Amino acid sequence: MKIKNILLTGIAALAVVSCNDYLEVDAPSKSTPEFVFSMKSEVERALNGVYAQALAGDLYGNAYQSTFVLNSDVDIATSNSRSHSHSSYRRFDCDDQGGEILKFWTAAYNLIEYCNKFITYAEASPVYHVQDTNGNYELDAKGDSIVDKEMLQWIGEAKCLRAMIYHDLVVMFGDVPFTFVPTTVRGIETVPVANREEIQKALIADLQKAAVNMSSTASTTVERCSKEFAQGLIARIALTAGGYSLRPNTSDQKSYGTMQRPGNYQDYYRIAMNYADSVISAGTHNLKLSYQDVFVNECNYQVINNDDPIFELPFAKESTGNTGYTQGPTYNSYEGKTVGPWGKCDGKMHVNAFYRFLFRDGDLRREFVNGMWYYSYFTNAEGNLADSVYFRNDYYLHNNKWSKLWTSESSALGDITEGSTGINYPYMRYADILLMYAEAANELNGGPTQKAISCLEQVHSRAFTDGDPQFIAQAGASKEAFQKAVMDERKWEFAGENSRWRDLVRTNTYGEELVYSFLRYYAVGMNCSSGYEDDIVAHDSQDGTDYLSVLPGMRIYYHTYNLSEANAYALRMFRGQMYGYKVNDAGIVTQQYPNQSFQSLRIFNAYRPAGSAPVTRQITQGGFSAKAWIPADMYNWYNENTGLPNDYCKYTFYGYIRCDDSGNLWVIRDGAQTQFGSIPAASELPPVRYILPYPNTVIQRSAGAYKNYYGY
């Protein structure tokens, strides 16, 4: 069962352990730290309050899932803006005036302060040690006082939350202010900035001590931090520490910095491999559920403790979290209400328009994630509002992993709701553990071990009805082939999970992938006469198919139909599948899974070039009748007035690569444009300025202690 409002009950106790300088609240006189941490029941309530801070919209409730998911070949926020913006985080063109970074920074250090205070007070609490009936500490065989197991678990949970947010701060901002000591000084200006490696080492050491005493997910819930999450977090931090990151040039304010990795990076890879292996060896998680069902279960408030999710951020319905509101198809409202009982859906978390062409044929994730439809209302013949499905083939597609619309009608939030869905977000999954192990083992052994191949195979085979053995066989050919296969698998597996851009940074391939991401848009916007088509296809192709050159003139066909309980069986028999939204033998995709209350959309020619329009087929069982196919041009991004692609193709990656009004292509190096003709080699590309600046307000309050680099 899902933790719903339990975290909210910790707010009163939370105010006790928080600093007035952060919240500006006055705690009741009885609710002093001494009072709260004198009783285990109050300590647990205080911990609930710590969790509540992680769920804030400016942190993991929304910003982590949307604002700071940077553009790549997977996740994207398209833009037609021709100029700089304070808050263009996702296209690498922000500055320290952006309001969202200040909100994220403030919420992050607020959570850190809560964690620091909870851990400090809990370790000094009289209930930290087991006491007998006379109030004396019980001793073990060595004469040492016995520490209470629940207190160790709760402290471990707070340490996991602290490590989680510090890790994300390091990835996003580089070197950051760091302390495990609570502060009573307003703001964080007295906390010194620490080198990222010092922070990562401290987090790993802290979690290593905590994990030993934490409970397994076999005996708790994935809505709380567990031993497996602590071990998985160690692996993630270590793999990040051993990878590349953008380092500042402190002697040149204009420099964007250089990509570097530590000389002892293999030491971190060994830690990552060993701790990922600890999770695998525990045997508490697996990938038995289908890929779709993992996320549909979350949308239906089902918490599964022994499958893919290892730690889910435990949002509460109508209180916290925008999961399934920002993702999934748009569902427009009329005068604040929707026709159905689900409420408005924003649907602004998108995947790259070309993402679907980067999959291997037969990958079930492709049909599930790439949403080519959305919903809105219309007035029917009786003058009443009704909802209908519409075709989407734009500069982006919807990321359909989560949606309020996947929730059953009985659990729907209501027709006037928007965000605060309460749908959990999986911060860590077992698939990630398996792929981290595979990557680290391959690097350390100079090629894939049999166990590394098995880990990759577990993730990949779940997405294919036949397991796709050819992919696994090719992956095992060499160290380089296996590394590419693991990165491809992560690309297909983690859309919308704030993962792709981080993987590209860590492997120092971000610049190269951004160039090709830009060129796909540019080439199609030029009606595939850009001169880059062959290079793009060579980079992308899984099987030698030239998908790119036919896209501008290619047509997709679609039609809608109503799917009811009466005809659902007949339609399933027609498709030869048990669920909606999979491809049948004719290459037809039914994009309507799993909610069967709306109209459905059937699409022909969505993924690979094909011939003529599909033949209409009549199905009589259950009253279902196929409708006429509607043609739609694949893409029409060419601007006949300028002879160039439309601005969305030119400026979506503005801070790294763009096209000007004369048709010249530029990459951005240290703030200056560098023109290119042929595609630069990866080694010749400038680094991507993915690092965010410290907020200007924070710099001002630090009285010179903090300083921005990276050209900010």
Side-chain angles (χ1 to χ4, degrees), residues 207-277:
L207 288 175
Q208 287 172 327
K209 293 179 181 178
V212 175
N213 299 304
M214 295 185 71
S215 300
S216 167
T217 47
S219 58
T220 183
T221 169
V222 295
E223 292 190 301
R224 304 300 287 248
C225 301
S226 64
K227 180 189 293 288
E228 287 86 347
F229 177 55
Q231 293 170 334
L233 196 52
I234 291 170
R236 181 179 289 183
I237 294 169
L239 202 60
T240 302
Y244 287 87
S245 64
L246 187 60
R247 308 299 178 106
N249 181 348
T250 57
S251 62
D252 184 356
Q253 186 70 26
K254 295 182 179 180
S255 172
Y256 281 10
T258 56
M259 295 295 289
Q260 300 175 26
R261 75 188 313 175
N264 64 334
Y265 75 92
Q266 287 193 339
D267 294 341
Y268 291 110
Y269 271 68
R270 188 163 289 104
I271 293 171
M273 183 184 71
N274 290 339
Y275 275 89
D277 188 46

Side-chain angles (χ1 to χ4, degrees), residues 686-708:
V688 181
R689 187 174 62 163
Y690 68 89
I691 290 282
L692 299 173
Y694 299 159
N696 182 265
T697 300
V698 172
I699 292 176
Q700 296 301 318
R701 289 179 178 175
S702 75
Y706 303 157
K707 184 178 180 180
N708 271 323

Side-chain angles (χ1 to χ4, degrees), residues 358-361 363 365 435 453 455-461 464 466-477 481-492 542:
L358 305 182
F359 284 81
R360 292 174 66 84
D361 284 337
D363 193 325
R365 294 169 296 195
L435 294 177
I453 294 173
C455 288
L456 173 63
E457 185 176 18
Q458 289 179 62
V459 180
H460 189 75
S461 63
F464 291 83
D466 64 354
D468 194 17
Q470 181 183 17
F471 175 81
I472 301 301
Q474 292 172 343
F482 193 78
Q483 170 70 9
K484 182 181 185 306
V486 170
M487 288 302 105
D488 282 344
E489 198 65 43
R490 296 187 68 88
K491 174 175 63 181
W492 302 322
Q542 297 288 338

